[in-house]
Amino acid sequence: MPGNDPGREAALFLQLVLGLQQAAMVALGKLMNPVSGKIERNLDAARNTIDTLAAIESRTRGNLEADEQRVLTQVLTDLRMNYLDESRK
């Protein structure tokens, strides 16, 4: 594999974060499950995905570009708020 391409790495990182966000939103019942075609809630799975993103945030602190950090922080804030909303139902 060729050397590091910062632009490609940034795109792959954002793709990872947004993919995990989508998985969490499906688990929260906010998006249709693309496999089953149904709205399904699994708060344990959502919590695990949110915790995974929080671990990524913790482990990458100080190593992200400003836009990467902003997206990660926004995704976590949004997911945490949606999780609280769903857990109160």
Side-chain angles (χ1 to χ4, degrees):
M1 294 187 76
N4 292 359
D5 175 352
R8 183 170 190 276
E9 285 183 354
L12 291 170
F13 179 79
L14 292 174
Q15 185 177 352
L16 171 67
V17 170
L18 296 176
L20 288 169
Q21 177 188 33
Q22 183 174 3
M25 292 298 275
V26 168
L28 288 168
K30 303 285 187 176
L31 294 175
M32 184 178 63
N33 182 325
V35 177
S36 69
K38 298 176 183 169
I39 295 291
E40 302 164 344
R41 274 181 64 207
N42 182 336
L43 292 182
D44 288 338
R47 176 85 254 161
N48 286 336
T49 305
I50 293 166
D51 288 347
T52 298
L53 281 162
I56 289 169
E57 181 183 48
S58 174
R59 302 296 293 175
T60 59
R61 188 167 288 126
N63 291 311
L64 298 178
E65 297 296 328
D67 59 332
E68 294 168 324
Q69 184 62 56
R70 187 179 66 253
V71 169
L72 182 53
T73 299
Q74 185 58 51
V75 163
L76 271 168
T77 300
D78 182 56
L79 288 175
R80 287 171 173 150
M81 290 174 61
N82 277 282
Y83 180 86
L84 277 175
D85 181 49
E86 287 301 315
S87 67
R88 291 178 176 150
K89 289 183 179 176

